[in-house]
């Protein structure tokens, strides 16, 4: 039964729309290329400029898209649009999809994940978790983040000095941080990392059946793992970690249902590392490619905050998101009809020359860097933005202060995901001098 349900969900959500998108991309249609063609992403600046030249809101028969900062920002904050990243192409298909979804396989794009629900449910759940991610709460995690970062660097083998910056540092660091916030025992963290990596592709449109099946299996495993952990916490609910707090809130079903508890814990834990790993990896690659800017930061550590924002702007870890018009809406003189999906190209908005001078130049001292939309805007604005910024700042400062001779060791590879943009592998060494021939792909 569950594999038939999975096949139906895949067909409605990814298979049908995916076939249309791939066909359009093969014909060279720009919006379709921007969401499925990995080659287009080798040179995102060029593609984004072409998309922007199509006007404030570009469109094809199925979907609209915007690469303009002003329009993207306006739609993200507009109450006439809803977030439903896993929606099927029509209302009728959506009803079928809702009936087919297996509650044991609910992932980050399924309600009741915060990413897929609207007020008042969204407001109620967000309120229950916000306190753990306020600037004040986040500042309290700084010491632990620094200790985790140093502990990981202690494990670099001094005889070779070589390691994979992603696998050995950028990935485990945010996993450890979010696991500590949720009181997740150390022995299941590597499972969480694997599950998160396998499930992250569900954010992408046009997933193949094979990739979807692997992600679906991982999401089921993640749900089962959390169920076991939640049962443990229910037996001993006195802890002050965030999961214990949420379990106590769920004891009163009016505040949080069991499904809301599990779905949002899964989202928060996954969102806590699947994106931050990309921020740290993208930052290291960019700084190694701009040694003079790195030297400036090491001489003036006050610049790290702005540098992190510039990385978020220039090589955004979340490249795009989706909104659906809930009613007929007029934007930039164009009418968007109810039900129409609009792709918001966050990564492209962050290269909009009307907001950022010389947008395709990486400049850690850029004063407008913080105006990026890498964390979205409006009611779904990233809950973990402050945490991600702090983790990245501490991770980078600790890394480059400890290993000022850090250099690429062999060619980095990008992750295949389209919504999430980062490195799969970034082989580095602390022993040799930088090898200019191995500059990362743009
Ligand atoms: C560099 C790191 C990160 C980036 C680039 C990022 C980006 C984003 C973006 C773009 C959204 C909104 C999507 C939309 O509007 O459709 C979002 C939402 C969210 N993020 Fe992050 N994120 C990062 C780190 C984190 C961390 C560390 C957490 C940990 C708690 C987190 C938790 C969330 C949650 C729970 C939401 C959903 C919020 C809602 O819908 O109300 N994120 N993130």
């Amino acid at each position: 039964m569950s594999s038939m349900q999975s096949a139906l969900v895949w067909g409605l959500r990814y298979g049908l729309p995916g076939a249309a998108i791939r066909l359009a991309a093969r014909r060279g249609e720009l919006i379709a290329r921007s969401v499925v063609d990995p080659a287009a992403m080798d040179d995102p600046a060029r593609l984004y400029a072409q998309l922007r030249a199509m006007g404030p809101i570009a469109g094809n028969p199925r979907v609209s898209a915007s690469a303009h900062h002003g329009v993207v920002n306006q739609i993200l904050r507009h109450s006439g649009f809803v977030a439903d990243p896993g929606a099927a192409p029509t209302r009728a298909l959506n009803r079928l999809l809702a009936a087919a979804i297996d509650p044991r396989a609910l992932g980050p794009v399924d309600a009741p994940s915060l990413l897929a629900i609207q007020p008042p449910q969204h407001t109620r759940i967000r309120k229950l978790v916000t306190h753990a991610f306020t600037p004040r709460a986040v500042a309290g995690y700084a010491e632990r983040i620094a200790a985790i970062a140093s502990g990981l660097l202690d494990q670099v083998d001094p005889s070779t000095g070589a390691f994979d910056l992603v696998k050995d540092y950028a990935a485990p660091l945010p996993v450890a941080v979010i696991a500590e916030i949720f009181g997740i025992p150390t022995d299941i963290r590597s499972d969480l990392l694997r599950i998160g990596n396998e499930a992250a592709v569900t954010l992408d449109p046009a997933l193949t059946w094979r990739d979807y099946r692997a992600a679906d299996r991982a999401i089921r495993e993640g749900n089962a793992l959390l169920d076991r952990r939640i049962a443990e916490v229910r037996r001993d609910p006195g802890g002050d970690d965030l999961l214990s707090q949420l379990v106590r809130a769920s004891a009163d079903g009016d505040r949080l249902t069991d499904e809301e508890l599990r779905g949002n814990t899964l989202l928060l834990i996954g969102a806590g590392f699947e994106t931050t790993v990309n921020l740290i990896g993208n930052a290291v690659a960019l700084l190694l490619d701009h040694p003079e800017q790195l030297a400036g930061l090491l001489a003036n550590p006050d610049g790290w905050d702005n540098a992190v924002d510039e990385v978020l702007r220039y090589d955004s870890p979340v490249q795009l998101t989706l909104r659906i018009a809930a009613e007929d809406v007029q934007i930039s003189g164009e009418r968007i009809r109810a039900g129409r999906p609009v792709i918001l190209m966050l990564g492209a908005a962050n290269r909009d020359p009307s907001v950022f001078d010389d947008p395709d130049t990486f400049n850690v001292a850029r004063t407008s860097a913080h105006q990026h939309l890498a964390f979205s805007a409006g009611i779904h604005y990233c809950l973990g933005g402050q945490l991600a910024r702090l983790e990245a700042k501490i991770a980078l400062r600790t890394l480059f202060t400890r290993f000022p001779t850090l250099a690429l060791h062999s060619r980095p590879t990008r992750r295949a995901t389209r919504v999430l943009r980062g490195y799969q592998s970034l082989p580095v060494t602390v022993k040799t001098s930088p090898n200019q021939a191995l500059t990362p792909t743009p």
Side-chain angles (χ1 to χ4, degrees), residues 76 83 85 113-117 122 126 129 133 174 178 181-182 264 267-280 312 316-323 346 373-385 387-389 391-392:
L76 287 170
S113 149
L114 279 171
L115 280 176
I117 56 173
H122 177 269
R126 187 147 170 149
V129 288
F133 301 98
I178 198 76
I181 292 174
F182 274 90
N264 284 292
L267 168 72
L268 275 150
I269 293 178
F273 62 85
E274 275 304 314
T275 46
T276 313
V277 53
N278 302 332
L279 173 58
I280 299 171
L312 284 159
S316 310
V318 177
Q319 285 280 308
L320 56 100
T321 188
L322 184 81
R323 290 294 183 269
L346 304 175
L373 296 171
F375 290 129
S376 183
I379 64 165
H380 294 280
Y381 180 83
C382 177
L383 185 72
L387 177 62
R389 280 192 173 101
E391 286 181 42

Side-chain angles (χ1 to χ4, degrees), residues 259-345:
E259 209 165 75
E260 290 170 345
L261 166 68
R262 193 176 62 180
N264 284 292
T265 303
L266 205 62
L267 168 72
L268 275 150
I269 293 178
F273 62 85
E274 275 304 314
T275 46
T276 313
V277 53
N278 302 332
L279 173 58
I280 299 171
N282 294 354
V284 171
L286 280 165
L287 290 170
L288 289 179
D289 205 26
H290 296 82
E292 66 307 332
Q293 297 194 38
L294 174 58
L297 288 166
L298 290 172
N300 170 23
D302 287 350
W304 278 113
D305 286 319
N306 202 65
V308 168
D309 271 316
E310 176 65 351
V311 175
L312 284 159
R313 181 196 76 81
Y314 185 87
D315 202 11
S316 310
V318 177
Q319 285 280 308
L320 56 100
T321 188
L322 184 81
R323 290 294 183 269
I324 295 171
E327 56 196 49
D328 288 359
V329 186
Q330 196 81 16
I331 298 277
S332 270
E334 294 217 19
R335 179 145 175 242
I336 301 181
R337 285 187 181 279
R340 176 92 169 158
V342 186
I343 301 172
L344 303 174
M345 311 292 302

Side-chain angles (χ1 to χ4, degrees), residues 18-29 32:
I21 297 173
R22 269 191 284 272
L23 186 67
R26 270 201 295 277
R27 292 189 178 137
E29 200 274 312

Side-chain angles (χ1 to χ4, degrees), residues 62-115:
R62 289 168 314 281
V63 68
S64 299
S66 181
H68 286 247
H69 188 282
V71 172
V72 172
N73 196 16
Q74 191 184 351
I75 292 180
L76 287 170
R77 294 167 190 273
H78 200 298
S79 59
F81 289 89
V82 295
D84 189 358
T90 67
R91 279 194 189 147
L93 293 179
N94 263 321
R95 277 195 293 275
L96 199 57
L97 183 63
I101 288 178
D102 179 349
R104 287 162 303 181
L106 293 178
V109 299
D110 299 301
S113 149
L114 279 171
L115 280 176

